[in-house]
Amino acid sequence: PFPERDDVDLYAMLKSAKEVAGDLYDFFISDDKLYFIIGDVSGKGVPASLFMAVTRSLFRNIARTSKTPAEIINGINDSISEQNESNMFVTLFLGILDLPTGKLSYCNGGHNPPILISPDGKATMMDIKKNVFVGFMPGFKYEGEEIQLESGAKLFCYTDGVVEAENAEKELYSEARLLKTLEVHSKYGVKRLTEQVLESV
């Protein structure tokens, strides 16, 4: 999405189990910072899809005036919680990557932990604060964290549809299998790597 830049690459894929779903992702660059979000709304169908659209719009609007991922998620949570008569919620992982330095600030709202792939191909699950789901506890204060990314490192974000995919024997795809798949194909660029994960699932 950023052909003029050589300091970052990004690829995203959304493959719904049904015609409409509540998974979401979004991203933009502002002042040499990459803002990105990934999430999964509770439930399925049109209600989840509408909830997803509201969440994505709030991310765009609140991120313009907030400095940290925790501030953005706090704003999203308070806005959604005020008028959440459906009692739905969304899990979110939100990051701000400072492109000149590689410093990643992030905040997690009950979402699956991302996987960090080091330049030598080792894939590890990030140890992150869980926090609570977003949208049903007004006033909850989400805590943010920071990590320094090495040049050439990759961050793989996903929703539970990947690790909870079932085969004919009802076996889950699992985090362990995802880690192994990412390590086997770690030398690929982000687009090819994502496609290899989908093929494996």
Side-chain angles (χ1 to χ4, degrees):
F2 311 113
E4 75 285 358
R5 306 192 70 109
D6 59 5
D7 54 353
V8 66
D9 197 8
L10 185 149
Y11 183 76
M13 176 186 291
L14 182 66
K15 190 173 178 65
S16 301
K18 296 185 177 181
E19 288 185 11
V20 291
D23 285 10
L24 68 110
Y25 68 85
D26 199 6
F27 57 89
F28 63 89
I29 289 179
S30 177
D31 297 328
D32 267 345
K33 290 182 172 62
L34 171 67
Y35 293 71
F36 65 93
I37 190 171
I38 183 170
D40 182 9
V41 176
S42 61
K44 300 290 184 185
V46 173
S49 182
L50 293 172
F51 200 90
M52 172 272 291
V54 169
T55 303
R56 181 176 174 271
S57 295
L58 287 170
F59 163 65
R60 286 263 170 167
N61 292 333
I62 297 172
R64 300 293 182 185
T65 56
S66 300
K67 295 181 178 180
T68 69
E71 286 179 9
I72 299 170
I73 286 193
N74 281 327
I76 294 173
N77 180 63
D78 290 343
S79 295
I80 292 176
S81 299
E82 286 176 4
Q83 299 178 346
N84 187 9
E85 297 177 1
S86 63
N87 292 319
M88 298 178 74
F89 61 84
V90 57
T91 68
L92 294 176
F93 181 85
L94 193 152
I96 302 176
L97 175 63
D98 186 82
L99 297 173
T101 67
K103 184 180 78 171
L104 174 66
S105 304
Y106 59 91
C107 184
N108 188 55
H111 197 72
N112 304 79
I115 295 172
L116 185 61
I117 307 170
S118 64
D120 64 3
K122 178 66 176 175
T124 54
M125 203 74 69
M126 284 179 62
D127 184 18
I128 60 176
K129 290 185 173 76
K130 281 282 188 183
N131 292 314
V132 299
F133 304 138
V134 177
F136 74 100
M137 192 178 291
F140 182 86
K141 295 304 177 187
Y142 291 82
E143 295 183 53
E145 300 173 85
E146 289 184 356
I147 189 174
Q148 181 65 44
L149 297 184
E150 297 179 76
S151 178
K154 299 183 181 80
L155 190 69
F156 185 84
C157 303
Y158 58 98
T159 61
D160 59 12
V162 174
V163 293
E164 294 179 4
E166 293 182 351
N167 62 12
E169 285 72 44
K170 300 295 183 181
E171 297 172 323
L172 298 181
Y173 184 76
S174 77
E175 292 178 349
R177 191 167 290 161
L178 177 57
L179 286 167
K180 183 178 180 181
T181 300
L182 290 170
E183 286 193 347
V184 168
H185 302 290
S186 62
K187 66 180 182 294
Y188 292 133
V190 293
K191 181 176 186 292
R192 178 81 180 275
L193 181 61
T194 305
E195 291 170 344
Q196 290 291 338
V197 170
L198 178 63
E199 185 177 325
S200 175
V201 172

